[in-house]
Amino acid sequence: MSYQPCRWYDPYPRLAFALKLLYLAPGAMRLTVARQIQRFLVEQWDTPQVRKVLQEIRVKANGNRWYDQDQETAQTVELLKNSPDFLKSRVAENMLQLLMVESA
C-alpha cells in the first residue's frame, strides 16, 4: 500500500507542520502570524493571480476548515495553497520562526 497525500500541503512536510502549529496557536497569535505571512506572500508573489485569489476568498462564505473561521487566515492559507512551490518552503520557515517569536 502506498501513501497518498489527502491534503494539498501533505507533500510539503515542513509546511504541514507549520500549519498544524498555526492551527494550535491561540486566536490572536494565529491572526498576527497570518497577517505577516500574507504580507510576505503579496510582496514576494505580486501578480494578478494574487489579487484574484484574494478577491475569490472575500466572496466565499465561511467553510468547515479550521482556517475558514477567520477571513485573514483563510486568505493567507488560500494564497499559500496557490503559490509557487519555492514560496511554500520559504513560508514554512518564516511561519515557524514567527510562531516561535510570538510564543516567547
Side-chain angles (χ1 to χ4, degrees):
M1 177 188 272
S2 65
Y3 172 72
Q4 295 290 326
C6 59
R7 298 171 299 194
W8 66 266
Y9 50 83
D10 283 342
Y12 312 96
R14 196 112 172 123
L15 181 60
F17 179 67
L19 287 170
K20 181 67 170 182
L21 290 179
L22 187 65
Y23 165 70
L24 295 171
M29 182 189 300
R30 184 183 312 140
L31 188 58
T32 301
V33 171
R35 284 178 181 157
Q36 292 178 7
I37 293 298
Q38 186 176 134
R39 191 175 2 210
F40 174 79
L41 280 168
V42 170
E43 288 171 359
Q44 298 297 313
W45 184 48
D46 188 21
T47 65
Q49 189 174 3
V50 171
R51 290 181 280 286
K52 180 183 175 203
V53 170
L54 287 173
Q55 184 61 34
E56 286 175 1
I57 195 67
R58 281 191 187 105
V59 297
K60 279 187 182 176
N62 283 346
N64 294 327
R65 301 169 298 189
W66 66 267
Y67 52 84
D68 287 333
Q69 304 310 312
D70 175 76
Q71 186 73 16
E72 287 190 71
T73 305
Q75 287 176 339
T76 301
V77 175
E78 285 297 321
L79 274 176
L80 185 54
K81 178 180 178 180
N82 292 292
S83 70
D85 286 346
F86 76 92
L87 275 179
K88 287 179 175 71
S89 61
R90 290 180 59 195
V91 166
E93 294 303 320
N94 287 350
M95 192 180 305
L96 291 171
Q97 186 177 16
L98 288 168
L99 287 165
M100 285 178 21
V101 167
E102 290 292 324
S103 65

